[in-house]
Amino acid sequence: MSTPLGKRYDDVTSQINTGDTAWILVSSALVFIMAPGVGYFYSGMARSKNAVSLVFLCMIAMAVVSVQWMIWGFSLALSDTATNPFIGNLTYGLLLNVGDKPHTNAPTIPASVYAIFQCMFAALTPALALGGAAERVRILPTIVFCFVWSTIVYDPIAYWSWAPKGWLNTMGSLDYAGGTPVHISSGFAALAFSIVLGKRHGYGQEKFEPHNYLNIILGTSLLWFGWFGFNGGSGVASNGRAGLAFTVTHIAACMGGLSWSLAAYFRNGRKFSSFHFCSGAVSGLVAITPASGFVTPWAALVYGAVAGVACHFAVDFKEKFRFDDALDVFAVHGIGGLIGNLLTGIFASKAVAALNGTSISGGWIDHHWKQLGYQLAASCAGAAWSFVVSALILIIFNYIPGLHLRIHEEGEISGTDMAEMGEHGYKYDTMDRTINERGGSPSITGLEEGNGFPTINAAFTDH
């Protein structure tokens, strides 16, 4: 039976292909860029007093999980010598036995290249989840949490989905680039974060709004750019199927941005918003992730349209059910990942998979009706494992001295930047300049605390 990524298990003696190797190295670098992309995206959505800590948390998650990946993460998540269906062994612990010899999942590139490519996926996932705890989480316990969470949440789900003996893989679920291991797991972990940590101080009384739309646009641009490697590299080869994955990624993002923007336009006073467009683009990227190596460009339009509208309305869940998912991680990644998985059960195409010689039964468009059931099973398993285990980790941490994750109230009010790091994202100072023009003197006040933007007070006085 072939596998979701077109991994040719029977061809482990393939020669190393330099073109494939070069493309996966480039793709690894592209996925790395997504970590600061998430940071800037989140920092723009938050209040200015929390901007630096959010970017920092995304970068430190990259560092912590990369170390965990080297110690045992790669082996637990993607061991090709393990025989059980749930978790890998320690064959590749400390990245021993990882070198020029190909991994079973990637027979045309060195295992070392495959390991670093997959490392970027693992490191990005907890960074996504941290958005559910934005503006109220301590940094030191979060570092420990990222290590533990990657070991007992991400690694098992990745093994189920992608390892040769993983139970979702052998069952027949299709996940090209991480709908379940990355997006559903991070979205439902963010939901657990928001429930266990509780609401932010002032929730329901203060209006929490994005403080910097330019950061949101910058973060989205970095994410969009990195996603070309995220999806385009997941076939671990440089070929036509990679090119198609690249193409549908872009189309879904465009359609997601347009559909979310239009839905919001008619619900919010007929005004367009860069924030809405960026959120929609990310939702389209999330939805197309599990399908990117299985669907045609026209299907990508459906993914983007459905995800953009559905995720937009899913944001309302936090108001209806009264949980404080600060940065809408559950709506965009949890719901978006679920939509992408289910649509793959419908639109997965045998012809697209066959571009690199992979044989699948396809989805509903190929009259393979059971595929939707497989996709639903994978989605439910990933969501349940991530939510329940994440909540248990957070609850247990609260009973361990020094590891409670919720910041104290005074620190939350002053902002996590100063309370946890002693740093400002913006320099708050006031400068007065007198410009004598036609008898007037405008007073220009610099950045005012709370919004991160300069305010100009032009008080003209006659002389």
Side-chain angles (χ1 to χ4, degrees):
M1 175 177 179
S2 78
T3 64
L5 302 186
K7 305 161 189 166
R8 294 149 288 185
Y9 292 155
D10 59 334
D11 194 17
V12 296
T13 59
S14 297
Q15 295 295 313
I16 297 297
N17 183 294
T18 55
D20 292 349
T21 301
W23 169 234
I24 302 308
L25 286 171
V26 170
S27 294
S28 303
L30 289 172
V31 180
F32 171 84
I33 290 172
M34 295 173 72
V38 171
Y40 274 96
F41 185 68
Y42 283 174
S43 74
M45 293 173 66
R47 290 171 289 180
S48 61
K49 61 186 179 181
N50 304 295
V52 176
S53 58
L54 282 167
V55 180
F56 177 73
L57 280 171
C58 291
M59 296 307 297
I60 206 164
M62 171 66 70
V64 171
V65 179
S66 295
V67 172
Q68 185 269 357
W69 195 250
M70 183 275 296
I71 295 173
W72 57 42
F74 177 59
S75 197
L76 292 176
L78 291 164
S79 172
D80 53 4
T81 61
T83 58
N84 76 85
F86 300 109
I87 193 68
N89 54 31
L90 294 178
T91 298
Y92 299 121
L94 299 177
L95 294 186
L96 300 174
N97 305 312
V98 175
D100 288 340
K101 182 181 177 182
H103 186 280
T104 306
N105 287 6
T108 63
I109 65 174
S112 58
V113 176
Y114 182 64
I116 194 62
F117 176 64
Q118 289 292 339
C119 174
M120 299 304 165
F121 285 66
L124 180 67
T125 306
L128 294 172
L130 293 175
E135 302 193 331
R136 60 197 188 278
V137 68
R138 295 173 60 223
I139 291 177
L140 180 59
T142 303
I143 292 173
V144 181
F145 174 86
C146 287
F147 191 99
V148 174
W149 188 89
S150 295
T151 301
I152 62 178
V153 176
Y154 178 84
D155 291 346
I157 297 176
Y159 183 87
W160 303 347
S161 303
W162 291 328
K165 298 295 184 180
W167 71 273
L168 292 178
N169 186 15
T170 57
M171 178 183 70
S173 74
L174 300 174
D175 194 335
Y176 194 75
T180 302
V182 177
H183 298 300
I184 288 179
S185 71
S186 63
F188 280 83
L191 180 62
F193 251 127
S194 63
I195 293 173
V196 175
L197 262 65
K199 301 176 181 68
R200 286 169 289 177
H201 179 79
Y203 180 86
Q205 300 171 345
E206 302 176 24
K207 191 173 183 179
F208 301 131
E209 294 183 329
H211 90 279
N212 192 325
Y213 292 94
L214 295 177
N215 273 10
I216 294 173
I217 295 171
L218 173 60
T220 302
S221 300
L222 292 173
L223 284 169
W224 197 327
F225 182 65
W227 230 295
F228 291 132
F230 193 93
N231 289 350
S234 286
V236 290
S238 177
N239 53 31
R241 197 178 181 197
L244 194 59
F246 200 115
T247 301
V248 299
T249 296
H250 184 60
I251 292 171
C254 293
M255 195 64 196
L258 292 171
S259 62
W260 185 309
S261 294
L262 289 173
Y265 177 82
F266 290 109
R267 296 183 74 201
N268 298 297
R270 295 182 181 270
K271 291 185 181 294
F272 284 104
S273 167
S274 59
F275 180 31
H276 292 151
F277 176 79
C278 290
S279 297
V282 173
S283 69
L285 290 164
V286 168
I288 200 64
T289 294
S292 51
F294 299 117
V295 299
T296 57
W298 69 262
L301 290 173
V302 179
Y303 277 78
V306 173
V309 174
C311 293
H312 169 71
F313 283 98
V315 172
D316 295 342
F317 289 169
K318 66 181 182 182
E319 300 296 335
K320 182 176 181 180
F321 297 105
R322 304 291 295 172
F323 61 89
D324 188 13
D325 179 10
L327 305 181
D328 301 326
V329 184
F330 174 70
V332 173
H333 294 274
I335 301 301
L338 176 63
I339 289 169
N341 269 6
L342 296 181
L343 289 179
T344 301
I346 298 172
F347 293 105
S349 168
K350 293 191 292 186
V352 173
L355 289 175
N356 70 339
T358 301
S359 175
I360 65 171
S361 298
W364 281 15
I365 63 169
D366 289 317
H367 309 292
H368 186 227
W369 313 114
K370 292 190 296 183
Q371 191 60 51
L372 183 60
Y374 296 152
Q375 300 303 111
L376 179 61
S379 300
C380 291
W385 183 264
S386 180
F387 178 79
V388 172
V389 178
S390 298
L392 287 174
I393 296 171
L394 293 169
I395 292 169
I396 291 170
F397 269 36
N398 283 334
Y399 289 96
I400 300 175
L403 289 184
H404 62 280
L405 281 103
R406 181 72 186 247
I407 195 172
H408 54 83
E409 184 174 333
E410 294 80 5
E412 187 177 340
I413 293 172
S414 65
T416 53
D417 289 358
M418 283 303 297
E420 289 290 299
M421 301 179 66
E423 298 175 349
H424 277 307
Y426 305 92
K427 183 178 180 182
Y428 303 123
D429 65 345
T430 301
M431 58 182 178
D432 293 313
R433 294 188 298 173
T434 300
I435 304 175
N436 294 315
E437 291 182 355
R438 299 182 180 179
S441 57
S443 174
I444 303 178
T445 304
L447 296 176
E448 294 186 337
E449 186 166 2
N451 58 28
F453 293 102
T455 301
I456 301 179
N457 299 319
F460 289 92
T461 58
D462 293 328
H463 294 285

